[in-house]
Amino acid sequence: AQTVTQSQPEMSVQEAETVTLSCTYDTSESDYYLFWYKQPPSRQMILVIRQEAYKQQNATENRFSVNFQKAAKSFSLKISDSQLGDAAMYFCAYRVNFGNEKLTFGTGTRLTIIP
Amino acid sequence: DAMVIQNPRYQVTQFGKPVTLSCSQTLNHNVMYWYQQKSSQAPKLLFHYYDKDFNNEADTPDNFQSRRPNTSFCFLDIRSPGLGDAAMYLCATSRGRTSGGDQETQYFGPGTRLLVL
């Protein structure tokens, strides 16, 4: 069974600084997707970034980028120039490409932005 | 804007009184999911529909049921809510195995917070 591990329950970063959230996963599949979702307090869960496992290039979305290390089964999220609006719970998630529509979530990392 | 809508945003029910939560989508996605999320925890998948095909998770209690009368709507029925069912309930959708890109990303609604008295 696939598992997703987020070893940092809480992180904090100074506004305008850079922070990296870690995620590791375990799978025997070779074709899968990885996601980072953001859930602000009492607000909707939204997709931050997605990575296709067969693509070696790391995904980027504006200030958000990932470091995808397939062999190490690691998928970290880097947030550059942190802003107050980045404060949220961040969930790493995994999905196999074929045959299963389910997401496997990590336990989440609560990110605090210090003004 | 295309979106996932959940009503109501807050629902209060009494212990043992049946309650229905609703979800609608304008994305025309094939797959609809229901998750239960308790405070500071990851969402827990209860079940999902691929079109009309219902897929229940093995550990979802029988107290939870779902209906999907058409592509746009999906309902979560809690037949006899207990205190432990108080949680945020999230609906999500995805395109499913169709042509075109982004088949696998799930899009979430704002959730319904259920309080059981």
Side-chain angles (χ1 to χ4, degrees):
Chain A
Q2 294 86 6
T3 59
V4 177
T5 301
Q6 295 179 248
S7 59
Q8 306 152 315
E10 296 185 356
M11 292 279 287
S12 60
V13 64
Q14 205 81 30
E15 194 176 2
E17 297 295 311
T18 295
V19 64
T20 298
L21 309 184
S22 67
C23 173
T24 58
Y25 58 95
D26 187 24
T27 183
S28 58
E29 303 287 340
S30 60
D31 193 5
Y32 50 87
Y33 293 88
L34 295 163
F35 306 87
W36 280 99
Y37 280 91
K38 168 186 176 182
Q39 189 176 37
S42 300
R43 292 183 62 188
Q44 194 161 345
M45 186 172 301
I46 59 172
L47 178 70
V48 176
I49 200 164
R50 65 191 275 270
Q51 175 79 43
E52 298 167 59
Y54 63 86
K55 289 187 176 180
Q56 291 187 338
Q57 187 173 7
N58 289 323
T60 57
E61 287 288 341
N62 301 314
R63 298 182 294 107
F64 298 87
S65 61
V66 298
N67 183 4
F68 173 48
Q69 301 289 330
K70 191 171 184 179
K73 297 179 182 175
S74 171
F75 182 61
S76 60
L77 174 70
K78 185 172 82 170
I79 307 173
S80 303
D81 185 25
S82 298
Q83 300 175 0
L84 294 178
D86 296 332
M89 188 74 121
Y90 286 81
F91 291 100
C92 178
Y94 161 99
R95 210 206 92 153
V96 69
N97 192 14
F98 295 107
N100 194 327
E101 308 292 335
K102 294 167 52 173
L103 278 179
T104 300
F105 284 94
T107 51
T109 296
R110 183 175 303 281
L111 179 64
T112 301
I113 311 296
I114 303 167
Chain B
D1 288 340
M3 56 175 42
V4 182
I5 303 160
Q6 291 189 245
N7 287 307
R9 295 293 307 276
Y10 298 90
Q11 177 74 57
V12 181
T13 191
Q14 291 180 330
F15 182 93
K17 184 175 180 180
V19 65
T20 295
L21 309 182
S22 71
C23 176
S24 63
Q25 52 129 343
T26 60
L27 297 160
N28 201 32
H29 282 176
N30 294 312
V31 193
M32 295 187 77
Y33 308 80
W34 278 105
Y35 290 89
Q36 181 192 65
Q37 186 180 28
K38 297 193 174 180
S39 181
S40 300
Q41 295 183 18
K44 177 182 182 297
L45 182 64
L46 296 173
F47 25 59
H48 73 276
Y49 274 95
Y50 194 113
D51 291 330
K52 295 183 179 181
D53 292 334
F54 178 69
N55 298 272
N56 197 26
E57 293 302 296
D59 57 354
T60 297
D62 292 339
N63 197 27
F64 292 87
Q65 304 286 320
S66 186
R67 298 169 284 135
R68 189 179 185 186
N70 53 52
T71 300
S72 301
F73 285 87
C74 195
F75 300 98
L76 170 62
D77 301 308
I78 308 176
R79 294 192 296 186
S80 181
L83 297 179
D85 297 328
M88 176 74 85
Y89 290 87
L90 302 176
C91 176
T93 72
S94 68
R95 285 171 59 100
R97 297 180 294 276
T98 58
S99 60
D102 194 21
Q103 302 168 8
E104 63 290 325
T105 300
Q106 290 189 21
Y107 295 88
F108 286 82
T112 294
R113 185 168 296 282
L114 178 68
L115 180 62
V116 181
L117 301 178

